[in-house]
Amino acid sequence: MVGIVGYGIYIPRYRIKTEEIARIWGADGERVAKGLLVEEKSVPGTDEDAATMAVEAARNSVTQAQIDPTEIGAVYCGSESFPYAVKPTATIVAQAICASEHIQCADLEFACKAGSAGIQICMSHVIAKEMKYGMAIGTDCSQGKPRDALEYSASAGAASFIIGDDSREIIAEIEGTYSYTTDTPDFWRREGSEFPRHGSRFTGEPAYFAHVIAGAKGIMKKLELSVEDFNYAVFHMPNGKFPIKTGKTLGIPLDKVKPGLIVIRIGNTYSASSLIGLCRIFDLASPDERILCVSYGSGAGSDAFSFLMTENITEKRENSGVPTVDDYIEDKEYIDYALYAKHRRKIKKMM
Amino acid sequence: MSDRSVPLFWRKSKQMYNLIGSECITCGTRYFPGRRICPQCRKEGQMHEFKFSGKGQVVTYSVVRDAPEGYELEVPYIVAIVQLEEGPRLTTPITYCDLDEIFIGMPVEACFRKLREAGDHGIIIYGYKFRPIKGAKPN
Protein backbone atom coordinates (compact mmCIF):
# COMPACT_ATOMS: atom_id res chain seq x y z
CA MET A 1 0.00 0.00 0.00
CA VAL A 2 1.24 3.52 -0.80
CA GLY A 3 -0.45 6.67 0.40
CA ILE A 4 -0.47 9.96 2.25
CA VAL A 5 0.99 9.77 5.76
CA GLY A 6 0.44 13.44 6.54
CA TYR A 7 -0.62 16.67 4.85
CA GLY A 8 -0.45 20.37 5.62
CA ILE A 9 -1.24 23.63 3.89
CA TYR A 10 -0.54 27.31 4.17
CA ILE A 11 -2.54 30.29 2.94
CA PRO A 12 -1.33 33.85 3.65
CA ARG A 13 -3.85 35.93 5.60
CA TYR A 14 -4.21 38.92 3.28
CA ARG A 15 -7.20 39.04 0.89
CA ILE A 16 -8.30 41.35 -1.89
CA LYS A 17 -11.85 41.27 -3.17
CA THR A 18 -12.58 40.82 -6.87
CA GLU A 19 -14.72 43.96 -6.68
CA GLU A 20 -11.71 45.99 -5.43
CA ILE A 21 -9.55 44.92 -8.40
CA ALA A 22 -12.45 45.61 -10.78
CA ARG A 23 -12.92 49.09 -9.23
CA ILE A 24 -9.39 50.06 -10.31
CA TRP A 25 -9.91 49.00 -13.91
CA GLY A 26 -13.45 50.32 -14.32
CA ALA A 27 -15.01 46.86 -14.60
CA ASP A 28 -18.26 45.62 -13.05
CA GLY A 29 -16.87 43.78 -10.01
CA GLU A 30 -20.03 41.87 -9.17
CA ARG A 31 -20.27 40.64 -12.74
CA VAL A 32 -16.59 39.62 -12.84
CA ALA A 33 -16.90 37.77 -9.49
CA LYS A 34 -20.00 35.92 -10.66
CA GLY A 35 -18.50 35.20 -14.07
CA LEU A 36 -15.27 33.71 -12.67
CA LEU A 37 -16.80 32.44 -9.42
CA VAL A 38 -13.93 34.08 -7.53
CA GLU A 39 -15.10 36.43 -4.77
CA GLU A 40 -11.68 37.18 -3.26
CA LYS A 41 -8.13 35.91 -3.44
CA SER A 42 -5.21 35.44 -1.05
CA VAL A 43 -2.25 37.82 -1.20
CA PRO A 44 1.18 37.12 0.35
CA GLY A 45 2.71 39.49 2.89
CA THR A 46 5.75 41.52 1.86
CA ASP A 47 7.92 38.99 3.72
CA GLU A 48 6.35 35.89 2.12
CA ASP A 49 7.15 34.01 -1.08
CA ALA A 50 6.86 30.50 -2.52
CA ALA A 51 9.70 29.30 -0.26
CA THR A 52 8.30 30.62 3.03
CA MET A 53 4.84 29.22 2.25
CA ALA A 54 6.33 25.86 1.28
CA VAL A 55 8.16 25.72 4.63
CA GLU A 56 5.02 26.55 6.61
CA ALA A 57 3.00 23.88 4.77
CA ALA A 58 5.82 21.34 5.06
CA ARG A 59 6.11 21.88 8.82
CA ASN A 60 2.35 21.37 9.18
CA SER A 61 2.56 18.10 7.22
CA VAL A 62 5.43 16.78 9.39
CA THR A 63 3.50 17.64 12.56
CA GLN A 64 0.38 15.93 11.29
CA ALA A 65 2.25 12.86 10.05
CA GLN A 66 3.88 12.48 13.50
CA ILE A 67 7.14 11.29 11.92
CA ASP A 68 10.82 11.94 12.41
CA PRO A 69 11.77 14.38 9.59
CA THR A 70 15.21 12.77 9.27
CA GLU A 71 13.42 9.71 7.83
CA ILE A 72 12.25 11.74 4.81
CA GLY A 73 14.30 10.63 1.81
CA ALA A 74 13.30 13.27 -0.73
CA VAL A 75 11.79 16.75 -0.95
CA TYR A 76 10.25 17.80 -4.26
CA CYS A 77 9.00 21.35 -4.53
CA GLY A 78 6.69 22.25 -7.41
CA SER A 79 6.06 25.88 -8.39
CA GLU A 80 6.09 28.37 -11.21
CA SER A 81 7.12 31.25 -8.94
CA PHE A 82 10.30 30.09 -7.25
CA PRO A 83 12.14 32.98 -5.58
CA TYR A 84 15.34 32.06 -7.43
CA ALA A 85 15.73 31.15 -11.11
CA VAL A 86 18.84 29.18 -10.11
CA LYS A 87 19.07 28.01 -6.48
CA PRO A 88 16.64 25.33 -5.32
CA THR A 89 13.76 26.03 -2.97
CA ALA A 90 13.56 22.35 -1.94
CA THR A 91 16.90 22.68 -0.09
CA ILE A 92 15.50 25.59 1.94
CA VAL A 93 12.47 23.46 2.86
CA ALA A 94 14.61 20.43 3.75
CA GLN A 95 16.78 22.44 6.13
CA ALA A 96 13.79 24.27 7.62
CA ILE A 97 12.03 21.00 8.55
CA CYS A 98 15.27 19.60 10.07
CA ALA A 99 15.49 16.84 7.46
CA SER A 100 18.67 14.82 7.09
CA GLU A 101 21.44 16.06 4.79
CA HIS A 102 21.40 12.60 3.17
CA ILE A 103 18.36 13.46 1.07
CA GLN A 104 17.28 13.99 -2.53
CA CYS A 105 15.95 17.46 -3.34
CA ALA A 106 14.69 19.01 -6.56
CA ASP A 107 12.47 21.81 -7.76
CA LEU A 108 9.85 20.84 -10.32
CA GLU A 109 8.08 23.01 -12.87
CA PHE A 110 4.96 22.10 -14.86
CA ALA A 111 2.77 25.20 -14.58
CA CYS A 112 0.05 24.39 -12.02
CA LYS A 113 0.68 20.65 -11.69
CA ALA A 114 4.30 20.44 -10.52
CA GLY A 115 3.14 19.62 -6.98
CA SER A 116 1.12 16.59 -8.09
CA ALA A 117 4.06 15.49 -10.26
CA GLY A 118 6.07 15.49 -7.01
CA ILE A 119 3.52 13.16 -5.41
CA GLN A 120 3.92 10.74 -8.34
CA ILE A 121 7.73 10.77 -8.03
CA CYS A 122 7.54 10.16 -4.27
CA MET A 123 5.11 7.28 -4.89
CA SER A 124 7.68 5.66 -7.19
CA HIS A 125 10.47 6.05 -4.62
CA VAL A 126 8.35 4.55 -1.85
CA ILE A 127 6.98 1.67 -3.95
CA ALA A 128 10.55 0.86 -5.02
CA LYS A 129 11.55 0.83 -1.31
CA GLU A 130 14.23 3.44 -2.00
CA MET A 131 13.09 5.48 0.99
CA LYS A 132 10.63 5.41 3.86
CA TYR A 133 8.98 8.76 3.17
CA GLY A 134 8.96 11.33 0.37
CA MET A 135 7.70 14.89 0.61
CA ALA A 136 5.91 16.61 -2.29
CA ILE A 137 4.95 20.29 -2.17
CA GLY A 138 2.97 22.55 -4.47
CA THR A 139 3.58 26.24 -3.71
CA ASP A 140 2.99 29.44 -5.62
CA CYS A 141 2.91 33.22 -5.31
CA SER A 142 1.36 33.46 -8.72
CA GLN A 143 1.79 36.50 -10.94
CA GLY A 144 -1.04 38.32 -12.70
CA LYS A 145 -0.30 41.27 -14.96
CA PRO A 146 -2.24 44.39 -13.92
CA ARG A 147 -5.62 44.55 -15.76
CA ASP A 148 -5.16 41.04 -17.19
CA ALA A 149 -7.97 38.55 -16.50
CA LEU A 150 -5.47 36.55 -14.45
CA GLU A 151 -5.15 39.38 -11.95
CA TYR A 152 -8.59 38.53 -10.54
CA SER A 153 -7.58 34.98 -9.65
CA ALA A 154 -3.78 34.63 -9.35
CA SER A 155 -3.21 34.09 -5.62
CA ALA A 156 -0.85 32.47 -3.12
CA GLY A 157 -0.75 29.25 -1.09
CA ALA A 158 1.05 25.95 -0.54
CA ALA A 159 0.21 22.31 0.17
CA SER A 160 2.58 19.60 1.37
CA PHE A 161 2.19 15.82 1.45
CA ILE A 162 4.28 13.07 3.01
CA ILE A 163 4.07 9.83 1.07
CA GLY A 164 4.81 6.49 2.72
CA ASP A 165 3.94 2.80 2.56
CA ASP A 166 3.12 1.79 6.15
CA SER A 167 -0.61 0.99 6.34
CA ARG A 168 -0.57 1.86 10.07
CA GLU A 169 0.36 5.45 9.19
CA ILE A 170 -1.45 6.10 5.91
CA ILE A 171 -4.48 8.40 6.12
CA ALA A 172 -5.38 8.11 2.43
CA GLU A 173 -4.30 5.23 0.24
CA ILE A 174 -3.31 6.22 -3.29
CA GLU A 175 -5.13 3.54 -5.30
CA GLY A 176 -3.56 4.67 -8.53
CA THR A 177 -2.45 7.59 -10.67
CA TYR A 178 -2.78 8.40 -14.35
CA SER A 179 -1.39 11.26 -16.43
CA TYR A 180 -2.47 12.73 -19.74
CA THR A 181 0.01 14.99 -21.51
CA THR A 182 0.25 16.83 -24.84
CA ASP A 183 2.22 19.76 -26.22
CA THR A 184 -0.42 22.50 -25.92
CA PRO A 185 0.90 26.07 -25.42
CA ASP A 186 -2.11 27.61 -23.68
CA PHE A 187 -0.18 29.57 -21.02
CA TRP A 188 3.51 30.38 -20.66
CA ARG A 189 6.11 32.68 -19.15
CA ARG A 190 9.36 33.20 -21.03
CA GLU A 191 12.72 33.30 -19.25
CA GLY A 192 13.14 36.75 -17.69
CA SER A 193 9.49 37.75 -18.22
CA GLU A 194 7.78 39.09 -15.13
CA PHE A 195 4.25 37.97 -15.98
CA PRO A 196 2.82 34.93 -17.77
CA ARG A 197 0.80 35.22 -20.97
CA HIS A 198 -2.02 33.05 -22.20
CA GLY A 199 -4.15 32.20 -25.19
CA SER A 200 -7.40 33.54 -23.64
CA ARG A 201 -10.24 31.18 -24.64
CA PHE A 202 -7.70 28.68 -25.97
CA THR A 203 -6.97 27.86 -22.29
CA GLY A 204 -10.44 26.25 -22.10
CA GLU A 205 -11.61 23.45 -24.39
CA PRO A 206 -8.36 22.22 -26.02
CA ALA A 207 -6.30 22.79 -22.90
CA TYR A 208 -7.91 22.58 -19.43
CA PHE A 209 -11.04 20.60 -20.29
CA ALA A 210 -9.41 18.17 -22.75
CA HIS A 211 -6.64 17.25 -20.29
CA VAL A 212 -8.61 17.21 -17.03
CA ILE A 213 -11.43 15.14 -18.50
CA ALA A 214 -8.97 12.74 -20.18
CA GLY A 215 -7.16 12.41 -16.83
CA ALA A 216 -10.38 11.67 -14.93
CA LYS A 217 -11.58 9.14 -17.49
CA GLY A 218 -8.12 7.57 -17.67
CA ILE A 219 -7.83 6.90 -13.92
CA MET A 220 -11.37 5.50 -13.76
CA LYS A 221 -10.67 3.14 -16.67
CA LYS A 222 -7.31 2.09 -15.21
CA LEU A 223 -8.79 1.27 -11.79
CA GLU A 224 -12.13 -0.02 -13.21
CA LEU A 225 -14.07 2.56 -11.23
CA SER A 226 -17.02 4.73 -12.21
CA VAL A 227 -18.23 8.18 -11.16
CA GLU A 228 -20.58 6.56 -8.61
CA ASP A 229 -17.61 5.02 -6.78
CA PHE A 230 -16.32 8.45 -5.74
CA ASN A 231 -17.65 10.43 -2.77
CA TYR A 232 -15.74 13.59 -3.69
CA ALA A 233 -14.05 15.09 -6.74
CA VAL A 234 -11.54 17.92 -6.91
CA PHE A 235 -10.12 19.45 -10.07
CA HIS A 236 -7.58 22.20 -10.69
CA MET A 237 -9.30 25.53 -10.14
CA PRO A 238 -8.16 28.39 -12.40
CA ASN A 239 -11.60 29.82 -11.55
CA GLY A 240 -14.83 28.41 -10.15
CA LYS A 241 -16.52 27.81 -13.48
CA PHE A 242 -14.05 25.34 -15.00
CA PRO A 243 -14.14 22.63 -12.28
CA ILE A 244 -17.94 22.84 -12.02
CA LYS A 245 -18.29 22.42 -15.79
CA THR A 246 -15.80 19.51 -15.68
CA GLY A 247 -17.84 17.77 -12.99
CA LYS A 248 -21.01 18.27 -15.02
CA THR A 249 -19.35 16.87 -18.17
CA LEU A 250 -18.21 13.78 -16.26
CA GLY A 251 -21.64 13.33 -14.68
CA ILE A 252 -20.41 14.06 -11.16
CA PRO A 253 -23.06 15.72 -8.93
CA LEU A 254 -22.20 19.27 -7.82
CA ASP A 255 -22.35 18.34 -4.13
CA LYS A 256 -19.34 16.07 -4.64
CA VAL A 257 -17.32 18.91 -6.23
CA LYS A 258 -18.32 21.77 -3.90
CA PRO A 259 -16.34 20.71 -0.78
CA GLY A 260 -13.03 21.14 -2.62
CA LEU A 261 -14.03 24.33 -4.43
CA ILE A 262 -11.79 26.67 -2.44
CA VAL A 263 -11.07 28.95 -5.42
CA ILE A 264 -14.18 31.03 -4.66
CA ARG A 265 -12.60 32.29 -1.43
CA ILE A 266 -8.84 32.22 -2.02
CA GLY A 267 -8.41 32.37 -5.80
CA ASN A 268 -6.14 30.18 -7.90
CA THR A 269 -3.07 29.13 -5.92
CA TYR A 270 -1.60 27.52 -9.07
CA SER A 271 0.62 24.55 -8.07
CA ALA A 272 -1.30 24.32 -4.78
CA SER A 273 -4.80 24.79 -6.24
CA SER A 274 -6.17 21.26 -6.60
CA LEU A 275 -3.94 20.14 -3.70
CA ILE A 276 -5.42 22.59 -1.16
CA GLY A 277 -8.86 21.55 -2.43
CA LEU A 278 -7.84 17.94 -1.82
CA CYS A 279 -6.67 18.80 1.71
CA ARG A 280 -10.04 20.41 2.48
CA ILE A 281 -11.67 17.12 1.53
CA PHE A 282 -9.13 15.25 3.70
CA ASP A 283 -10.30 17.55 6.53
CA LEU A 284 -13.91 16.39 6.01
CA ALA A 285 -13.85 12.86 4.63
CA SER A 286 -14.60 9.69 6.61
CA PRO A 287 -12.73 6.37 6.46
CA ASP A 288 -13.52 4.29 3.32
CA GLU A 289 -14.62 7.35 1.32
CA ARG A 290 -13.02 7.70 -2.12
CA ILE A 291 -11.73 10.94 -3.69
CA LEU A 292 -11.00 11.73 -7.34
CA CYS A 293 -8.33 14.42 -7.73
CA VAL A 294 -7.16 15.77 -11.09
CA SER A 295 -4.55 18.50 -11.31
CA TYR A 296 -3.86 20.48 -14.48
CA GLY A 297 -0.73 22.19 -15.69
CA SER A 298 -0.66 24.38 -18.76
CA GLY A 299 1.63 23.34 -21.50
CA ALA A 300 -0.18 20.86 -20.94
CA GLY A 301 -0.97 17.89 -18.77
CA SER A 302 -3.09 16.47 -15.99
CA ASP A 303 -2.30 14.09 -13.11
CA ALA A 304 -5.27 12.10 -11.83
CA PHE A 305 -5.37 10.23 -8.52
CA SER A 306 -7.82 8.01 -6.68
CA PHE A 307 -7.54 8.29 -2.89
CA LEU A 308 -9.24 5.93 -0.43
CA MET A 309 -9.48 7.31 3.11
CA THR A 310 -8.34 5.03 5.92
CA GLU A 311 -9.34 4.90 9.57
CA ASN A 312 -6.02 6.57 10.54
CA ILE A 313 -7.39 9.93 9.38
CA THR A 314 -9.59 10.37 12.44
CA GLU A 315 -6.77 10.14 15.00
CA LYS A 316 -4.29 12.27 13.02
CA ARG A 317 -6.85 14.99 12.28
CA GLU A 318 -7.96 15.25 15.90
CA ASN A 319 -4.63 14.96 17.70
CA SER A 320 -2.07 16.79 15.58
CA GLY A 321 -3.32 20.31 16.32
CA VAL A 322 -2.45 21.38 12.76
CA PRO A 323 -4.68 24.17 11.36
CA THR A 324 -7.32 23.01 8.87
CA VAL A 325 -7.91 24.50 5.43
CA ASP A 326 -10.95 26.31 6.82
CA ASP A 327 -8.83 27.74 9.67
CA TYR A 328 -6.55 29.34 7.09
CA ILE A 329 -9.44 30.49 4.88
CA GLU A 330 -11.21 32.18 7.80
CA ASP A 331 -8.06 33.90 9.15
CA LYS A 332 -7.99 36.91 6.85
CA GLU A 333 -7.41 40.63 6.60
CA TYR A 334 -8.67 42.61 3.62
CA ILE A 335 -6.37 45.02 1.83
CA ASP A 336 -7.10 47.55 -0.90
CA TYR A 337 -5.50 47.65 -4.35
CA ALA A 338 -2.81 50.13 -3.26
CA LEU A 339 -1.53 47.79 -0.55
CA TYR A 340 -1.95 44.84 -2.90
CA ALA A 341 0.26 46.61 -5.45
CA LYS A 342 2.89 47.12 -2.75
CA HIS A 343 2.67 43.49 -1.56
CA ARG A 344 2.99 42.15 -5.09
CA ARG A 345 5.74 44.64 -6.00
CA LYS A 346 3.79 46.16 -8.83
CA ILE A 347 5.08 49.63 -7.88
CA LYS A 348 8.32 49.87 -9.81
CA LYS A 349 9.77 53.28 -9.07
CA MET A 350 10.41 54.10 -5.44
CA MET A 351 12.64 56.66 -3.73
CA MET B 1 25.09 43.63 1.41
CA SER B 2 27.80 42.18 -0.78
CA ASP B 3 27.82 38.69 -2.28
CA ARG B 4 30.93 38.09 -0.16
CA SER B 5 28.78 38.20 2.99
CA VAL B 6 26.93 35.01 1.92
CA PRO B 7 29.04 32.75 4.22
CA LEU B 8 28.04 34.88 7.20
CA PHE B 9 24.36 34.10 6.66
CA TRP B 10 25.03 30.49 5.64
CA ARG B 11 26.80 29.85 8.95
CA LYS B 12 23.79 31.18 10.85
CA SER B 13 21.09 29.51 8.74
CA LYS B 14 20.61 26.57 11.10
CA GLN B 15 19.87 28.83 14.05
CA MET B 16 17.87 31.27 11.92
CA TYR B 17 15.64 28.62 10.29
CA ASN B 18 14.90 26.48 13.32
CA LEU B 19 15.80 28.45 16.46
CA ILE B 20 18.61 26.06 17.27
CA GLY B 21 20.74 27.27 20.16
CA SER B 22 22.57 25.40 22.89
CA GLU B 23 22.02 23.91 26.33
CA CYS B 24 24.51 23.25 29.10
CA ILE B 25 23.92 19.70 30.34
CA THR B 26 25.75 20.53 33.59
CA CYS B 27 23.55 23.41 34.77
CA GLY B 28 20.58 23.19 32.38
CA THR B 29 20.90 26.78 31.12
CA ARG B 30 19.79 27.31 27.52
CA TYR B 31 21.27 29.89 25.17
CA PHE B 32 20.12 31.57 22.00
CA PRO B 33 22.13 32.15 19.92
CA GLY B 34 24.07 29.05 20.88
CA ARG B 35 27.32 29.22 22.84
CA ARG B 36 30.28 26.88 22.79
CA ILE B 37 31.12 27.49 26.46
CA CYS B 38 28.68 27.89 29.34
CA PRO B 39 29.62 31.19 31.06
CA GLN B 40 28.36 29.81 34.39
CA CYS B 41 30.01 26.38 34.39
CA ARG B 42 33.03 27.29 32.24
CA LYS B 43 35.26 24.22 31.78
CA GLU B 44 32.84 22.07 33.82
CA GLY B 45 30.05 22.78 31.38
CA GLN B 46 28.96 20.39 28.63
CA MET B 47 27.19 22.07 25.73
CA HIS B 48 24.94 20.49 23.14
CA GLU B 49 22.56 21.77 20.46
CA PHE B 50 19.06 22.63 21.61
CA LYS B 51 16.00 23.30 19.45
CA PHE B 52 13.65 25.83 20.97
CA SER B 53 9.86 25.36 20.77
CA GLY B 54 9.35 28.73 19.10
CA LYS B 55 6.77 29.80 21.69
CA GLY B 56 7.26 32.88 23.82
CA GLN B 57 5.91 36.27 24.81
CA VAL B 58 6.65 39.89 24.06
CA VAL B 59 8.80 41.56 26.73
CA THR B 60 8.92 44.95 25.03
CA TYR B 61 8.64 46.35 21.53
CA SER B 62 9.20 49.32 19.26
CA VAL B 63 7.60 50.44 16.00
CA VAL B 64 10.03 51.17 13.15
CA ARG B 65 8.79 53.88 10.80
CA ASP B 66 12.08 54.92 9.20
CA ALA B 67 13.67 51.68 8.01
CA PRO B 68 17.23 50.95 6.97
CA GLU B 69 17.96 50.00 3.37
CA GLY B 70 16.33 46.73 2.37
CA TYR B 71 13.39 47.01 4.76
CA GLU B 72 11.48 49.89 3.10
CA LEU B 73 8.54 47.72 2.03
CA GLU B 74 7.98 46.53 5.59
CA VAL B 75 7.39 49.99 7.11
CA PRO B 76 5.82 50.41 9.61
CA TYR B 77 6.94 47.23 11.35
CA ILE B 78 7.30 46.00 14.91
CA VAL B 79 10.59 44.86 16.43
CA ALA B 80 10.26 43.16 19.82
CA ILE B 81 12.27 41.45 22.50
CA VAL B 82 10.65 38.06 22.96
CA GLN B 83 11.25 35.77 25.91
CA LEU B 84 11.18 32.15 24.78
CA GLU B 85 9.37 29.54 26.90
CA GLU B 86 12.72 27.94 27.62
CA GLY B 87 14.24 31.15 28.98
CA PRO B 88 16.43 33.08 26.52
CA ARG B 89 15.40 36.42 25.09
CA LEU B 90 15.90 37.46 21.48
CA THR B 91 15.23 40.46 19.27
CA THR B 92 12.87 39.75 16.39
CA PRO B 93 10.43 41.38 13.96
CA ILE B 94 6.76 40.66 14.70
CA THR B 95 4.78 39.89 11.56
CA TYR B 96 1.04 39.48 10.91
CA CYS B 97 0.37 41.94 13.72
CA ASP B 98 -1.34 45.33 13.48
CA LEU B 99 0.32 48.20 15.29
CA ASP B 100 -2.69 48.61 17.60
CA GLU B 101 -2.75 44.88 18.34
CA ILE B 102 0.70 44.45 19.95
CA PHE B 103 1.04 44.51 23.74
CA ILE B 104 3.63 43.59 26.35
CA GLY B 105 2.99 39.99 27.37
CA MET B 106 1.49 39.04 24.00
CA PRO B 107 1.91 35.28 23.36
CA VAL B 108 3.80 34.78 20.10
CA GLU B 109 5.18 31.90 18.04
CA ALA B 110 7.99 31.61 15.51
CA CYS B 111 7.22 31.45 11.79
CA PHE B 112 9.37 31.21 8.65
CA ARG B 113 9.77 34.42 6.69
CA LYS B 114 11.92 36.31 4.23
CA LEU B 115 14.12 38.61 6.31
CA ARG B 116 15.78 40.66 3.59
CA GLU B 117 16.96 40.63 -0.01
CA ALA B 118 20.31 41.85 -1.25
CA GLY B 119 18.73 44.00 -3.96
CA ASP B 120 17.03 42.55 -7.04
CA HIS B 121 19.89 40.19 -7.90
CA GLY B 122 21.51 39.22 -4.60
CA ILE B 123 20.84 36.50 -2.08
CA ILE B 124 17.54 36.21 -0.17
CA ILE B 125 17.92 35.79 3.58
CA TYR B 126 15.29 33.59 5.27
CA GLY B 127 14.75 32.95 8.94
CA TYR B 128 12.44 33.32 11.90
CA LYS B 129 10.05 36.11 12.70
CA PHE B 130 7.37 35.87 15.37
CA ARG B 131 3.60 36.23 14.99
CA PRO B 132 0.76 36.48 17.52
CA ILE B 133 -0.75 33.16 18.66
CA LYS B 134 -4.41 33.38 17.73
CA GLY B 135 -6.76 33.32 20.68
CA ALA B 136 -3.98 33.03 23.27
CA LYS B 137 -4.37 35.05 26.48
CA PRO B 138 -1.46 36.90 28.15
CA ASN B 139 0.15 35.02 31.03
Side-chain angles (χ1 to χ4, degrees), chain A residues 11 21 31 35 57 98 114-115 132 181 195 204 246 251 258 278 288-289 300 312 329:
Chain A
I11 302 167
I21 299 172
R31 195 172 161 192
C98 293
K132 189 170 181 185
T181 312
F195 297 109
T246 302
K258 265 189 173 172
L278 175 66
D288 297 325
E289 288 192 315
N312 298 324
I329 289 176

Side-chain angles (χ1 to χ4, degrees), chain A residues 136-152:
Chain A
I137 301 166
T139 180
D140 257 309
C141 270
S142 52
Q143 314 95 335
K145 195 174 183 180
R147 209 160 64 89
D148 188 273
L150 283 179
E151 194 182 24
Y152 291 106

Side-chain angles (χ1 to χ4, degrees), chain A residues 60-82:
Chain A
N60 281 338
S61 65
V62 171
T63 304
Q64 201 218 37
Q66 300 164 24
I67 62 161
D68 177 355
T70 61
E71 292 187 312
I72 294 171
V75 174
Y76 293 110
C77 206
S79 182
E80 58 171 76
S81 53
F82 290 115

Side-chain angles (χ1 to χ4, degrees), chain A residues 63-211:
Chain A
T63 304
Q64 201 218 37
Q66 300 164 24
I67 62 161
D68 177 355
T70 61
E71 292 187 312
I72 294 171
V75 174
Y76 293 110
C77 206
S79 182
E80 58 171 76
S81 53
F82 290 115
Y84 288 100
V86 178
K87 159 74 185 86
T89 294
T91 57
I92 299 170
V93 175
Q95 179 149 327
I97 60 167
C98 293
S100 161
E101 291 171 2
H102 307 281
I103 189 172
Q104 290 175 221
C105 285
D107 287 359
L108 307 175
E109 193 280 319
F110 195 141
C112 297
K113 84 163 189 77
S116 60
I119 295 175
Q120 291 176 325
I121 297 170
C122 288
M123 282 174 66
S124 300
H125 284 310
V126 168
I127 290 168
K129 305 284 182 193
E130 288 173 351
M131 58 186 67
K132 189 170 181 185
Y133 305 115
M135 173 180 274
I137 301 166
T139 180
D140 257 309
C141 270
S142 52
Q143 314 95 335
K145 195 174 183 180
R147 209 160 64 89
D148 188 273
L150 283 179
E151 194 182 24
Y152 291 106
S153 58
S155 65
S160 170
F161 300 86
I162 295 170
I163 293 97
D165 66 354
D166 188 337
S167 61
R168 294 167 300 179
E169 298 180 329
I170 288 172
I171 59 107
E173 178 188 357
I174 305 174
E175 295 184 298
T177 182
Y178 174 90
S179 293
Y180 181 80
T181 312
T182 71
D183 183 17
T184 306
D186 57 322
F187 173 103
W188 63 91
R189 182 163 64 85
R190 294 277 299 275
E191 181 67 38
S193 297
E194 189 174 358
F195 297 109
R197 298 174 71 155
H198 54 86
S200 296
R201 287 179 184 274
F202 184 65
T203 59
E205 292 300 338
Y208 177 91
F209 292 110
H211 293 77

Side-chain angles (χ1 to χ4, degrees), chain A residues 12 17 28 30 43 56 59 64 76 90 102 161 185 191 227 240 262 285 298 308:
Chain A
K17 286 183 178 284
D28 181 341
E30 200 177 334
V43 180
E56 295 277 350
R59 286 176 173 172
Q64 201 218 37
Y76 293 110
H102 307 281
F161 300 86
E191 181 67 38
V227 165
I262 41 109
S298 291
L308 186 63

Side-chain angles (χ1 to χ4, degrees), chain A residues 283-297:
Chain A
D283 285 345
L284 305 168
S286 304
D288 297 325
E289 288 192 315
R290 184 175 277 125
I291 304 161
L292 171 66
C293 175
V294 188
S295 65
Y296 172 72

